[in-house]
Every structure is written in structure tokens, then in C-alpha cells.
């Protein structure tokens, strides 16, 4: 769970940074989208790097979901009788929402891929320009709302997930390392979610067009 989660943390950081190219306008953003497809050419064919990335992400996703089910199963077997009263004594909101937050993120990724990768759903209209596809979609309030909720779920998932991964990997044995892990979890959660949502928000309000 921790290792596949770390792959996702690296990916969302890079993806968020890439999306900030929207600040540069249509030419900068479209050049960036083009580079993603020609990166490492001619060592790799056109879109080769993107396919390697997709393969890594799919494998990480399968591993992450498999680990989640294994842990869930183990937790259920650990107690076969039901609690009379079930109340977490010291769990943050992020920790309680890991399972359902994960399911929500999975649903979001499906919507997201249908919108930007397969272009099956094209809110606001399709276009051959990646920048126009981006601005078309986020000019609609309900598309923005879906992303806003998803980024909130992502922030919660990262906040608890990073702390939990640090614990699994044995990096929380002292008070200082625990504080570092907690701060890191909160910082990455905020940087990623805010960094992701700023360009769509500026598109919605007409600053980026
Ligand atoms: C506000 C948040 C986000 C925005 C605006 C956004 C935007 C985009 C755009 C425009 C693309 C198409 C890139 C291209 O083909 O040139 C894309 C692809 C993708 N995004 Fe996002 N994204 C966001 C959040 C996320 C999150 C949170 C995840 C994962 C947890 C994610 C996963 C992906 C994946 C897997 C692809 C497909 C790459 C491919 O195989 O073509 N995105 N995103």
C-alpha cells in the first residue's frame, strides 16, 4: 500500500505541476501536452513515454486496490463479533474516510479519463487543442464542482495516506519523525489539492481564457 501510494504521490505532484502550464496560455500549454507525447523520442516511439507511465500507473492502481482489500479482509477477520458501540478514539477525519474517499477518487479518475484521455465525455465541447478542451470543460460550474469535491477527497487521502505510509515504512519511531511525517502529509495534501484546483478556478472566473 505504501509503495504504490508513493508512486501516486510522485505522479500527482508532477501532474499538478504540469497543469500549472495553463497559466502560460494556449501556446505554452499545448506545447507541454505535445512534449508529453514526444518525450524521449526517438529512443521511444511517439507517445512511448506516456504508455510507460500509463503502465506504471495501472500496475500501481491494481497493487493499491489489492492491498486495500487485503487489509480490509484482515481487519474484519481480526474481530469476528460486532462491536456493541463502534467509535474511533483517536482517528482524524482523513483516517476515517480512507476507504470511501478511495472509492470516490476511483470514480473521479474514471470520469477524468473519459473526459481528457478517451474524450468520450466532452463537457463544453471537444477540440483538437488540449488548452481549449481544458477551458471548455472548466467554464462549466458543475464540471468545476466535480473537480473541487475530488480535490477535497484527494487532500484527505494524501493527508492520512502519507502519514500511514511513513508508519508502515518504520519512519515514525521518534516524536520528531512523527511530527515530520504529519507535517509532510499535510503540506503535500495542501500543495497538490490547491495547486490542482487553482487553474480550473481561474478558468471558471474567466482569468485564464
Ligand atoms: C484539477 C485537477 C486535475 C486537472 C485539471 C487535470 C487535468 C488533466 C488533463 C488536461 C489531462 C490530459 C493531459 C493530456 O493528455 O495532455 C489529464 C490526464 C490525466 N490525469 Fe489529470 N487532472 C487533474 C487531476 C488528476 C488527478 C487527481 C489524477 C489522479 C489521481 C489524475 C490522473 C490523470 C491521468 C491518469 C491522466 C491520463 C494520462 C494519459 O494516460 O493520457 N488527474 N489530466
Amino acid at each position: 500500500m505504501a509503495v504504490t501510494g508513493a508512486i501516486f504521490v510522485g505522479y500527482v505532484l508532477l501532474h499538478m505541476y504540469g497543469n500549472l502550464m495553463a497559466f502560460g496560455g494556449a501556446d505554452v500549454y499545448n506545447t507541454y501536452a505535445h512534449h508529453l507525447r514526444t518525450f524521449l523520442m526517438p529512443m521511444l516511439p511517439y507517445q512511448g513515454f506516456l504508455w510507460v507511465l500509463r503502465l506504471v500507473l495501472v500496475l500501481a492502481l491494481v497493487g493499491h486496490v489489492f492491498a486495500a482489500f487485503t487489509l480490509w479482509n484482515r481487519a474484519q477477520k481480526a474481530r469476528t463479533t460486532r462491536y456493541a458501540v463502534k467509535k474511533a478514539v483517536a482517528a482524524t477525519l482523513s483516517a476515517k474516510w480512507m476507504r470511501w474517499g478511495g472509492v470516490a477518487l476511483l470514480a473521479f479518475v474514471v470520469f477524468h479519463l473519459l473526459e481528457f484521455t478517451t474524450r468520450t465525455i466532452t463537457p463544453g465541447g471537444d477540440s483538437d487543442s488540449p488548452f481549449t478542451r481544458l477551458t471548455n470543460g472548466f467554464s462549466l460550474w458543475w464540471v468545476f464542482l466535480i473537480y473541487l469535491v475530488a480535490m477535497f477527497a484527494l487532500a484527505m487521502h494524501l493527508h492520512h495516506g502519507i502519514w500511514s505510509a511513513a508508519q508502515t515504512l518504520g519512519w515514525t519511531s521518534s516524536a520528531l519523525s512523527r511530527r515530520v511525517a504529519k507535517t509532510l502529509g499535510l503540506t503535500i495534501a495542501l500543495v497538490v489539492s490547491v495547486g490542482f484546483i487553482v487553474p480550473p478556478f481561474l478558468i471558471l472566473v474567466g482569468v485564464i481564457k
Side-chain angles (χ1 to χ4, degrees):
M1 193 110 225
V3 172
T4 50
I7 294 175
F8 285 124
V9 172
Y11 176 73
V12 286
L13 275 168
L14 287 177
H15 187 19
M16 181 275 295
Y17 177 71
N19 282 358
L20 296 180
M21 302 298 149
F23 280 106
D27 282 349
V28 172
Y29 190 81
N30 288 345
T31 307
Y32 157 70
H34 178 68
H35 276 160
L36 276 181
R37 283 151 180 87
T38 54
F39 192 59
L40 294 181
M41 269 176 85
M43 271 189 303
L44 291 175
Y46 181 70
Q47 287 210 1
F49 169 74
L50 211 55
W51 276 107
V52 172
L53 189 71
R54 285 169 180 164
L55 187 71
V56 171
L57 288 176
V58 168
L59 290 177
L61 184 67
V62 171
H64 208 66
V65 173
F66 178 75
F69 275 109
T70 311
L71 286 175
W72 193 355
N73 204 273
R74 200 188 291 170
Q76 286 205 317
K77 278 197 187 131
R79 183 169 177 111
T80 45
T81 49
R82 288 177 79 84
Y83 288 99
V85 178
K86 196 171 178 201
K87 195 172 167 218
V89 180
T92 60
L93 201 64
S94 311
K96 285 190 206 158
W97 275 89
M98 282 317 265
R99 270 177 214 159
W100 290 114
V103 173
L105 282 174
L106 211 55
F108 160 75
V109 169
V110 172
F111 173 80
H112 188 50
L113 293 182
L114 288 174
E115 185 184 0
F116 286 117
T117 302
T118 64
R119 287 154 67 181
T120 315
I121 308 169
T122 50
D126 201 5
S127 163
D128 283 335
S129 151
F131 184 76
T132 308
R133 285 201 294 276
L134 194 74
T135 49
N136 280 354
F138 290 117
S139 306
L140 303 169
W141 67 267
W142 59 270
V143 175
F144 175 76
L145 196 66
I146 291 175
Y147 278 77
L148 185 67
V149 172
M151 290 313 105
F152 184 68
L154 180 64
M156 303 251 283
H157 210 76
L158 286 173
H159 177 223
H160 181 73
I162 289 168
W163 156 253
S164 191
Q167 256 185 328
T168 304
L169 299 172
W171 296 339
T172 52
S173 50
S174 69
L176 178 67
S177 58
R178 278 194 291 279
R179 211 173 321 135
V180 170
K182 278 196 175 151
T183 311
L184 198 68
L186 187 64
T187 310
I188 294 181
L190 285 175
V191 167
V192 168
S193 55
V194 175
F196 258 137
I197 210 63
V198 166
F201 175 71
L202 294 180
I203 292 170
L204 181 75
V205 296
V207 174
I208 295 179
K209 49 187 167 212

